[in-house]
Amino acid sequence: MSSLAVYVVAAAAVFGVGVYGLIVADHVLRKLLALNMMGSAVFVLMVAVSGSAQGRPDPVAQALVLTGIVIAVAATAFALALLVRIHHDTGRVTLSERGDDDD
Amino acid sequence: MTPELLVDVILAVGLVALSLRVVSGGELFRDIVVFIVFGLVVALSWARLGSPDLALAEAAIGAGVTGALMLMAYRRLASRSGGASGDRSRRLRLAAPVAVLAGTAVAIIGLAALGIDGASDSGGAAALAALPATGLGNPVTGVLLMFRGLDTLLELVVLLVVLLGAWAMMIPGPPPALHLVSRDTPLVAALLTIAAPLCVLVAVHLLVVGADEPGGAFQAGAVLAAGGVLLVLTGVLRPSREAGPVIRLAVLVGPAAFVVVGVSAMAFGRPVMELPGLWAVYLIETAMMISIAVTLSLLFGRSGGFRRGGP
Amino acid sequence: MSLSESIGLALVGLGCVFYLAGTVGLLRFPDVFSRLHALTKADNLGLLLVCTGLAVLEASWRVALLLASIWLLGLLAATVSAYLIARHAHHAGAAGRPAAEGERP
């Protein structure tokens, strides 16, 4: 098993764990942690796969992932702003199951 | 097993173990800290995968800024535990199978892609071939600024839109003070006098070497934002509701510089977004660094602007 | 293997031993203060040894200078954060009593 394959398998496992966490978590902060881990897993996968040809990661893939990391933190920041506002307005830190207001 | 492969396996096992720890549902504060550790292990993995640029970005942005944002939100939410919501049992029953399915699908895609030999005419190969003509030594900076400049510009626009969204979501009334420790506390004053200037020094260093070595505007901006976070946490800067003219200018200067230089290329009969030379790369990267740093600091402070804190 | 290589590797290995000791202390010690004690003392020495070892291996003044500044920054960060955690624990009255599950070590 090559080093790249090790990272591909680890990324897939982390992605699965992230999906599990996203579904199971009640607290939105926890869902965001899981979502961020899924993102990191995809980034690792992309760079590991792009490195298979030349022996070093493709610069376009690296730039794409660098962009992705920044967009991920931006999306997280916006989600947290929404969450803090929702908590301020409703006192809740969870999402209702079917979009209905079950308070 | 070679020592290199052993290191990779240890890192990979660490990644999976830490991610399991994050979702296993202990105390939320602890899980956020473990998530930050996860980000640092991802950064080490980037270094092992041959991408120091991404290692720097992950450590500064992925682990650092995201972790700081999470911890600040945790504090704002007063550590309320989420109560059960709706029909939880069905969700829990489905979770494990769905997760296994998703992980297996990703593994199959990844391992299949690993088996494909990359095309020799890929974008990456073209970028590497065209790099010497640009005068840049770091291919990632080359792609970000020279070859895929529009993507990078739009990324800055996304950051700007996020800031506007966060401003729209701001809680009415004056923003609460954020500082956790007074700068009069012993040692904290010493930390500030050493760490704040060092943040600027390291950021400028990352920016300058980013042309040829690992580094660049995003990493530099994140380091500068870390300095901003430090100033907010120690009360040197206090959040204010309104953005002053300096803040507005700082937030806009990155995308504005990119657009002005990119579009003015047309006046000289060159394609849009083609940068006229290395000076333009440095100019745009400096403007980007300022915008990124100020935007991230404002997102952390959840504030419109900053004013100087009292003693 | 040359003499400088063996010295460098030995220093890095010794540094790792200190890191291990510090981590064991963090996990095994009963309260916040002794945990901090184990962590900061052992890890700062471990970092010094690892940095020195790497500088010997690299045999370049520029790298040695960079590694020295990394160590000094590590010292600064460890000192201030350990002080702040200890201060917080002291105010919270955690002195002497065992760290509860989930308490920040």
Side-chain angles (χ1 to χ4, degrees):
Chain A
M1 204 172 184
S2 74
S3 285
L4 292 176
V6 169
Y7 284 108
V8 167
V9 171
V14 171
F15 189 87
V17 171
V19 170
Y20 178 82
L22 188 66
I23 298 174
V24 168
D26 278 325
H27 202 301
V28 178
L29 215 49
R30 269 183 204 290
K31 285 191 193 284
L32 286 174
L33 291 178
L35 206 59
N36 267 290
M37 290 198 305
M38 285 165 66
S40 294
V42 172
F43 295 153
V44 168
L45 187 89
M46 278 174 64
V47 171
V49 166
S50 82
S52 59
Q54 304 91 342
R56 49 184 271 193
D58 187 307
V60 174
Q62 289 187 61
L64 207 61
V65 168
L66 188 53
T67 307
I69 291 174
V70 177
I71 298 294
V73 74
T76 305
F78 185 58
L80 290 172
L82 280 176
L83 174 61
V84 169
R85 183 63 192 260
I86 288 172
H87 175 252
H88 177 266
D89 288 350
T90 68
R92 292 168 37 157
V93 287
T94 57
L95 303 173
S96 53
E97 193 77 350
R98 289 191 184 77
D100 53 353
D101 205 9
D102 57 356
D103 254 10
Chain B
M1 194 185 263
T2 62
E4 283 85 6
L5 187 58
L6 186 66
V7 173
D8 291 327
V9 170
I10 291 173
L11 282 174
V13 171
L15 282 177
V16 179
L18 287 168
S19 68
L20 278 170
R21 188 74 187 76
V22 171
V23 303
S24 63
E27 199 209 355
L28 185 53
F29 176 82
R30 184 177 269 207
D31 291 346
I32 296 174
V33 174
V34 176
F35 170 78
I36 297 172
V37 177
F38 171 84
L40 292 174
V41 178
V42 173
L44 288 177
S45 309
W46 290 132
R48 285 289 307 143
L49 281 166
S51 182
D53 286 280
L54 291 178
L56 284 170
E58 183 74 43
I61 306 173
V65 176
T66 311
L69 285 169
M70 292 275 186
L71 285 175
M72 190 45 87
Y74 170 82
R75 190 157 164 269
R76 281 287 178 82
L77 301 176
S79 69
R80 283 173 59 104
S81 60
S85 62
D87 181 14
R88 225 166 147 262
S89 57
R90 198 172 62 91
R91 208 147 50 91
L92 291 183
R93 261 204 319 279
L94 281 175
V98 171
V100 170
L101 215 62
T104 313
V106 172
I108 290 171
I109 294 170
L111 290 175
L114 209 54
I116 302 170
D117 280 334
S120 57
D121 59 346
S122 69
L128 284 175
L131 193 68
T134 64
L136 289 168
N138 180 349
V140 180
T141 306
V143 172
L144 283 173
L145 271 293
M146 292 283 194
F147 307 132
R148 304 286 306 172
L150 193 61
D151 292 359
T152 311
L153 171 62
L154 291 178
E155 178 184 358
L156 292 176
V157 174
V158 169
L159 265 181
L160 186 62
V161 170
V162 161
L163 183 65
L164 294 178
W167 277 351
M169 286 298 120
M170 230 191 307
I171 291 165
L178 285 175
H179 62 285
L180 300 173
V181 279
S182 158
R183 61 176 143 161
D184 299 329
T185 318
L187 282 183
V188 172
L191 176 76
L192 275 177
T193 41
I194 299 173
L198 262 179
C199 279
V200 179
L201 184 69
V202 172
V204 172
H205 172 77
L206 280 172
L207 189 75
V208 173
V209 303
D212 294 317
E213 289 172 48
F218 291 107
Q219 294 90 339
V223 169
L224 214 50
V229 166
L230 195 65
L231 294 181
V232 173
L233 284 179
T234 49
V236 177
L237 291 177
R238 296 195 188 212
S240 64
R241 198 160 172 76
E242 292 298 323
V246 178
I247 293 282
R248 285 168 199 256
L249 193 69
V251 166
L252 282 174
V253 68
F258 219 143
V259 169
V260 168
V261 175
V263 171
S264 64
M266 279 201 299
F268 302 97
R270 289 195 309 270
V272 183
M273 304 306 292
E274 186 183 292
L275 303 186
L278 270 189
W279 63 268
V281 171
Y282 282 118
L283 179 78
I284 293 174
E285 286 217 295
T286 308
M288 277 169 67
M289 173 184 77
I290 293 170
S291 285
I292 293 165
V294 173
T295 305
L296 291 177
S297 302
L298 286 171
L299 286 171
F300 175 78
R302 217 174 290 294
S303 57
F306 291 119
R307 60 189 167 77
R308 214 178 279 275
Chain C
M1 199 188 288
S2 71
L3 183 64
S4 67
E5 262 182 36
S6 350
I7 293 176
L9 286 177
L11 283 170
V12 172
L14 197 61
C16 291
V17 172
F18 275 97
Y19 267 111
L20 189 68
T23 310
V24 169
L26 172 71
L27 293 174
R28 303 294 302 172
F29 280 174
D31 63 78
V32 175
F33 298 119
S34 47
R35 281 175 172 185
L36 279 177
H37 169 81
L39 199 61
T40 46
K41 282 227 169 83
D43 281 9
N44 284 337
L45 191 54
L47 184 61
L48 174 66
L49 288 170
V50 169
C51 285
T52 317
L54 288 176
V56 169
L57 283 176
E58 200 62 32
S60 131
W61 281 111
R62 182 173 170 272
V63 173
L65 214 63
L66 283 174
L67 285 165
S69 56
I70 287 173
W71 180 63
L72 285 174
L73 274 177
L75 265 189
L76 179 74
T79 310
V80 177
S81 51
Y83 164 74
L84 288 176
I85 292 171
R87 186 165 164 271
H88 180 83
H90 184 67
H91 283 307
R97 85 175 156 76
E101 187 64 21
E103 196 167 48
R104 310 165 207 195

